[in-house]
Amino acid sequence: MLDPSQWIITEHTHEPIIARDDFMKVQESLRNGRESMLKARNDAAKINAMYPDELKGLLYCGECGSRMRIDRWPHGSKEKVKTIVYECRNPKGVKKCEGHVVMGNLMKMLIMDQIHETVSKYCDKDKLWEATEGIRSEDDPIRKTESDIKRAKAKISGIADKRSTLYENLSKGVIDQDEFRLLQDTYKKQQEEAEGELKNLEDKKAELEKELKEYLKSADMLKKYVSVRAFDEELVRELVSRVDVFPDKHIHVTYKFKDIFEDRSEASDSNI
């Protein structure tokens, strides 16, 4: 559409459909409407810039799993001072949810408190050793797997000894040819099964040792954050993948790194 400045207008050539005064009033109303809409958009953009969504994409409803959306209270541009809140507006999630609202500043404080607590644990050598030390105890993964590997190797060795004595027993007439073939097939099957079990155990041990290295690597990575208490969006986005928020305002932080303390806690709970 051409700009009005480029229009060619010839007046009074047709009988008007509406009175000119009415036409001008409508044009003025449309102009005012467009100006109001643009002003509202500009005001909203200014408010959004003044009160940015520093937790965008991180907060989820702990009841239904829906992503929580930001709102700025009170609405409108007349009130210049706003309060950021996050709302669950989707009661039709995986689970039924009544919907709830949390204050943005409260969420930032709770998230930073949990991050500080976790970082402090990783940077406390005694607590980190207490968490990782269990991996080397008799009850826990690597030590137990090493014991299982020893037993599997002993089992394979025992089967090999039995197979080697078969020929001796056959030559001495202790067993006949049919018994020899039957026992030979049996021991061969047992050995293959034991070797498969040994392979699985060795793979398991390698995976557990890899996890332990990841735990210790996480500790080194987190040391630089031990003194940070104020909200830091860059830090939060580097460490946190999501935060589940529950109606009673408690939260569960899911980290991008492997949380050994949560893993140990869950393991303890499962053993109760």
Side-chain angles (χ1 to χ4, degrees):
M1 180 181 291
L2 288 174
D3 185 90
S5 63
Q6 297 179 285
W7 293 357
I8 299 174
I9 301 174
T10 304
E11 297 182 347
H12 310 301
T13 59
H14 298 83
E15 184 178 345
I17 298 174
I18 61 172
R20 184 169 185 80
D21 288 346
D22 292 338
F23 174 79
M24 296 307 295
K25 287 178 183 178
V26 171
Q27 294 302 307
E28 181 68 18
S29 176
L30 290 173
R31 197 159 39 247
N32 290 338
R34 284 193 293 270
E35 290 174 357
S36 296
M37 181 179 67
L38 289 174
K39 183 179 183 303
R41 286 181 179 176
N42 289 334
D43 289 343
K46 289 178 182 178
I47 290 170
N48 291 351
M50 290 176 61
Y51 297 90
D53 187 356
E54 296 174 293
L55 298 173
K56 185 176 181 179
L58 291 177
L59 301 187
Y60 291 81
C61 174
E63 281 199 323
C64 69
S66 303
R67 181 171 289 178
M68 299 188 76
R69 302 178 187 178
I70 192 174
D71 203 352
R72 298 165 179 88
W73 289 355
H75 296 155
S77 59
K78 291 182 179 180
E79 297 288 345
K80 300 301 181 184
V81 179
K82 303 288 184 181
T83 298
I84 288 180
V85 300
Y86 291 89
E87 303 174 278
C88 175
R89 302 176 187 173
N90 180 20
K92 299 179 181 179
V94 177
K95 298 179 182 177
K96 288 187 177 180
C97 172
E98 297 300 324
H100 57 103
V101 178
V102 293
M103 308 299 286
N105 284 338
L106 175 62
M107 285 298 98
K108 291 196 288 187
M109 181 185 73
L110 292 177
I111 291 168
M112 289 306 297
D113 281 350
Q114 285 210 15
I115 289 175
H116 180 75
E117 181 181 354
T118 301
V119 170
S120 297
K121 286 178 181 177
Y122 268 94
C123 296
D124 184 321
K125 290 183 179 179
D126 291 335
K127 288 182 179 177
L128 182 62
W129 176 251
E130 180 183 342
T132 57
E133 181 268 339
I135 297 180
R136 306 303 303 165
S137 74
E138 292 295 338
D139 297 335
D140 272 294
I142 295 178
R143 182 64 62 82
K144 184 177 183 301
T145 305
E146 286 174 345
S147 297
D148 291 340
I149 287 173
K150 286 181 181 178
R151 283 193 290 270
K153 287 181 177 178
K155 184 177 180 180
I156 292 171
S157 178
I159 294 170
D161 290 341
K162 289 179 180 178
R163 292 185 70 180
S164 66
T165 60
L166 278 179
Y167 295 97
E168 184 180 346
N169 291 335
L170 178 63
S171 63
K172 290 181 179 180
V174 177
I175 57 174
D176 59 27
Q177 194 69 35
D178 291 338
E179 289 173 323
F180 171 81
R181 281 194 290 268
L182 177 61
L183 289 171
Q184 188 180 45
D185 291 343
T186 300
Y187 291 151
K188 180 181 178 183
K189 183 178 179 181
Q190 289 177 353
Q191 185 168 350
E192 289 173 350
E193 290 175 351
E195 287 172 346
E197 180 184 356
L198 176 61
K199 175 67 167 56
N200 292 336
L201 289 169
E202 289 173 337
D203 290 346
K204 180 180 178 182
K205 181 179 176 236
E207 184 63 29
L208 290 168
E209 289 174 337
K210 179 182 175 183
E211 287 184 6
L212 180 56
K213 288 180 181 178
E214 289 176 357
Y215 293 151
L216 300 176
K217 181 180 178 182
S218 295
D220 288 337
M221 180 267 292
L222 293 171
K223 284 178 183 176
K224 60 183 176 181
Y225 300 125
V226 70
S227 61
V228 180
R229 295 304 300 265
F231 180 79
D232 184 323
E233 182 180 358
E234 184 178 347
L235 179 155
V236 170
R237 294 196 178 277
E238 181 178 353
L239 301 183
V240 176
S241 61
R242 74 181 275 158
V243 179
D244 291 282
V245 184
F246 296 85
D248 63 0
K249 306 301 183 284
H250 88 271
I251 64 173
H252 178 269
V253 178
T254 302
Y255 295 104
K256 292 180 179 178
F257 59 90
K258 196 168 182 66
D259 186 354
I260 183 175
F261 294 98
E262 182 174 61
D263 290 348
R264 299 294 297 159
S265 176
E266 290 176 353
S268 298
D269 291 343
S270 67
N271 291 328
I272 293 176

